Amino acid sequence: MGLLLFFNGGFMLIAAVVSGIYKDGATLDIFLASMVSVFIGVFAMFTTRGHKKEVKRKEGYLIVTFGWLVMSVSGMLPYLFSGAIPGVTNAFFETISGYTTTGASILDDIEVLPKGILFWRSLTHWIGGMGIIVLAIAILPLLGIGGMQLFAAEAPGPSADKLHPRITDTAKRLWYIYVGYTAAETLLLKLAGMSFFDAINHSLATLSTGGFSTKNASLAFWNDQPLIQYIVILFMFLAGMNFVLSYFAFKGKVQRILKDEEFKYYGIFILLFTVLVALVIYFKANVPISDYHPMVLGEGESSFRHALFQVIAVVTTTGFVTADFTSWTPFLTIFFFGLFFIGGSAGSTAGGIKVMRHLLIIKNGLLEFKRTLHPNAIIPVRYNDKTIKEHIVYNIIAFFVLYMLLFIIGALGLGAMGLDFVSAIGGAASSLGNVGPALGSLNPVSNFNGLPDIGKWWCGFLMLAGRLELFTVLILLTPYFWKRT
């Protein structure tokens, strides 16, 4: 915890430097927040330096969950010290939405915030995004979380065609890719016409699949600049991929990528969904003429671009918007609500259930027909030409059941707080899946500021549970976790 606070304070210091460069008046406030985090972090490390550093399963669950909470409590200090977001509830909501890369906001006017605060807001995304990659590689497989053992088999390991036998080296390689993608997107967005400040902020939010923007209209601000939106689309797609596949791509092992079942279906889903949405937009929805660019093909291109952008933004749980997809037709509103539950790939910065889990659940369901006809036959589930152990399949099914149960409980909670049916189910699905924009009063062109304070804390809990693969958080709520063994 002390180390996390120390690093968090270091990142705040970078935001303070940005604030000083732009002379936005928040430099001292962010610097003080940084010093508080660093001081508490160093104090915690100093006072616990003599303790035995042994992490067992129970400690693993505690470190992961409380690590995210401690980061969120620390991360809201720049907002509170600068007065950019008054009130602990609102500041905590914005911060945990940042670290969990959800992208839901309570801010009514983003563009009036100091540049340093906007940069810190984007940094919380970036820190949380890389954190979930390291978590997926190093911690969750060891804890047996939600079928992540399967991902562990694809990532660190002793065989020659895998990343590296040491987890630290694996995390380091993925860190290089994460930083490299962020730098590449920043450069491309700058060349495409964004200011450097907007470019780096949107890159931090894209690679983390977060969705915080520096503009009130999000990416709709650049609807007349298609190139900018296509660049963001490309990097959203890369961020929603398994980062291990990106490593294989840089090593020239393209066949490994093409043979990966999850990547194959991830691409197929996005393509099919985009075609469907584009056709409905073109023939049924009224996209404003201001969204068309005079130098491109017109209505057809605009329909395709809006469809592709919103499908990738929702599937990867990035949450950027180019338009209010809930106004496109009732069919598309329901369709995008369904996409809230898909999620990106395992080992990506995306939230949601994940494509891999959907594939294995569907495969197991189809095999049940064969097992019914041949009850004595042993018919295992196969994934990437490998037999999947039965306990992993059970783990994934349990994850799916828990996910849907928590979604229902989450929606009931929001309904009890006064939200209408559409807003309640949309808010619960969006928070749990770390999507960002929701439905009803929480639609893509609105925000979560209208929620009562208890609703904001409730959505924060759903964000954390969804981001940390459910079991990590929910197991702390069980009495037998706290019993001595």
Side-chain angles (χ1 to χ4, degrees):
M1 297 301 144
L3 190 63
L4 285 174
L5 285 173
F6 179 79
F7 279 116
N8 217 29
F11 279 111
M12 284 181 205
L13 206 54
I14 299 172
V17 171
V18 171
S19 176
I21 292 170
Y22 285 98
K23 297 181 173 61
D24 59 12
T27 308
L28 181 60
D29 300 315
I30 302 173
F31 177 76
L32 287 175
S34 169
M35 290 300 100
V36 169
S37 296
V38 169
F39 175 79
I40 296 174
V42 170
F43 179 77
M45 286 191 286
F46 180 78
T47 54
T48 57
R49 69 190 187 283
H51 287 256
K52 186 179 179 183
K53 296 177 176 64
E54 183 182 0
V55 178
K56 297 179 182 177
R57 274 193 170 230
K58 279 193 175 182
E59 287 85 354
Y61 291 114
L62 288 167
I63 289 169
V64 171
T65 302
F66 283 100
W68 243 263
L69 287 172
V70 164
M71 293 282 276
S72 297
V73 170
S74 161
M76 69 181 182
L77 295 181
Y79 300 134
L80 294 175
F81 286 7
S82 66
I85 303 178
V88 171
T89 296
N90 283 342
F92 183 80
F93 181 93
E94 197 76 12
T95 309
I96 200 164
S97 178
Y99 282 116
T100 58
T101 72
T102 303
S105 179
I106 49 81
L107 294 169
D108 294 317
D109 191 352
I110 297 163
E111 295 173 29
V112 299
L113 293 180
K115 290 283 200 297
I117 293 296
L118 283 176
F119 186 73
W120 171 244
R121 189 167 168 262
S122 301
L123 264 182
T124 59
H125 269 344
W126 199 73
I127 297 164
M130 189 63 243
I132 205 66
I133 288 291
V134 175
L135 196 67
I137 288 284
I139 307 295
L140 297 183
L142 301 179
L143 301 180
I145 297 299
M148 291 305 288
Q149 309 97 311
L150 184 59
F151 174 59
E154 293 298 313
S159 63
D161 64 337
K162 290 178 182 172
L163 268 173
H164 202 279
R166 292 180 58 199
I167 285 170
T168 51
D169 288 333
T170 297
K172 191 191 303 179
R173 283 159 172 75
L174 297 184
W175 174 261
Y176 290 150
I177 293 169
Y178 191 65
V179 173
Y181 276 161
T182 306
E185 187 185 359
T186 302
L187 177 62
L188 290 173
L189 288 176
K190 179 71 176 71
L191 293 174
M194 267 193 185
S195 69
F196 178 72
F197 182 77
D198 286 336
I200 192 167
N201 275 273
H202 284 88
S203 298
L204 294 172
T206 304
L207 268 301
S208 61
T209 63
F212 280 157
S213 176
T214 55
K215 303 296 181 185
N216 292 327
S218 188
L219 265 292
F221 184 86
W222 291 277
N223 273 348
D224 62 344
Q225 293 176 267
L227 181 58
I228 285 176
Q229 294 183 350
Y230 282 121
I231 290 168
V232 174
I233 285 169
L234 170 63
F235 283 94
M236 282 195 292
F237 180 83
L238 292 174
M241 278 173 55
N242 185 332
F243 267 70
V244 174
L245 296 184
S246 289
Y247 176 81
F248 289 140
F250 289 119
K251 293 289 285 184
K253 298 179 180 179
V254 181
Q255 286 300 317
R256 280 296 302 268
I257 302 170
L258 297 177
K259 288 179 180 178
D260 186 82
E261 281 191 62
E262 184 178 39
F263 175 75
K264 191 190 306 177
Y265 283 99
Y266 170 64
I268 290 171
F269 286 162
I270 287 173
L271 180 62
L272 292 178
F273 296 157
T274 298
V275 171
L276 175 62
V277 174
L279 289 172
V280 176
I281 293 175
Y282 186 81
F283 290 107
K284 295 287 185 182
N286 294 316
V287 178
I289 195 69
S290 60
D291 287 357
Y292 305 148
H293 191 267
M295 300 302 292
V296 293
L297 298 176
E299 190 174 353
E301 186 279 335
S302 182
S303 298
F304 172 77
R305 175 162 44 93
H306 280 299
L308 179 61
F309 191 100
Q310 290 308 152
V311 165
I312 290 186
V314 174
V315 168
T316 63
T317 71
T318 306
F320 283 140
V321 293
T322 59
D324 180 7
F325 55 76
T326 63
S327 68
W328 281 346
T329 66
F331 170 79
L332 286 184
T333 301
I334 298 168
F335 182 79
F336 275 104
F337 175 68
L339 295 189
F340 285 3
F341 295 90
I342 292 182
S345 305
S348 72
T349 57
I353 294 174
K354 304 290 191 303
V355 173
M356 179 188 74
R357 289 195 181 99
H358 285 293
L359 283 178
L360 290 174
I361 289 170
I362 291 168
K363 283 189 173 191
N364 187 63
L366 293 175
L367 287 178
E368 282 300 320
F369 292 114
K370 286 186 179 179
R371 293 172 185 144
T372 302
L373 292 173
H374 308 285
N376 296 322
I378 298 173
I379 309 172
V381 177
R382 298 184 66 80
Y383 176 77
N384 282 345
D385 296 325
K386 295 175 185 175
T387 298
I388 304 303
K389 293 177 181 177
E390 209 169 48
H391 75 92
I392 292 180
V393 176
Y394 292 152
N395 197 313
I396 289 170
I397 292 170
F399 176 92
F400 184 79
V401 171
L402 270 177
Y403 191 96
M404 298 310 295
L405 186 61
L406 189 55
F407 158 66
I408 293 168
I409 294 171
L412 284 171
L414 291 176
M417 296 167 201
L419 271 71
D420 61 88
F421 175 74
V422 173
S423 300
I425 62 170
S430 176
S431 298
L432 190 59
N434 308 122
V435 178
L439 308 178
S441 61
L442 310 175
N443 66 62
V445 294
S446 185
N447 59 38
F448 284 62
N449 197 27
L451 285 177
D453 283 356
I454 190 172
K456 292 167 186 172
W457 289 101
W458 181 237
C459 285
F461 165 72
L462 294 176
M463 291 176 199
L464 185 66
R467 178 79 283 183
L468 300 184
E469 304 283 330
L470 300 191
F471 292 108
T472 317
V473 176
L474 298 182
I475 198 169
L476 301 186
L477 304 179
T478 59
Y480 44 82
F481 177 83
W482 302 98
K483 288 180 181 176
R484 289 183 177 272
T485 53

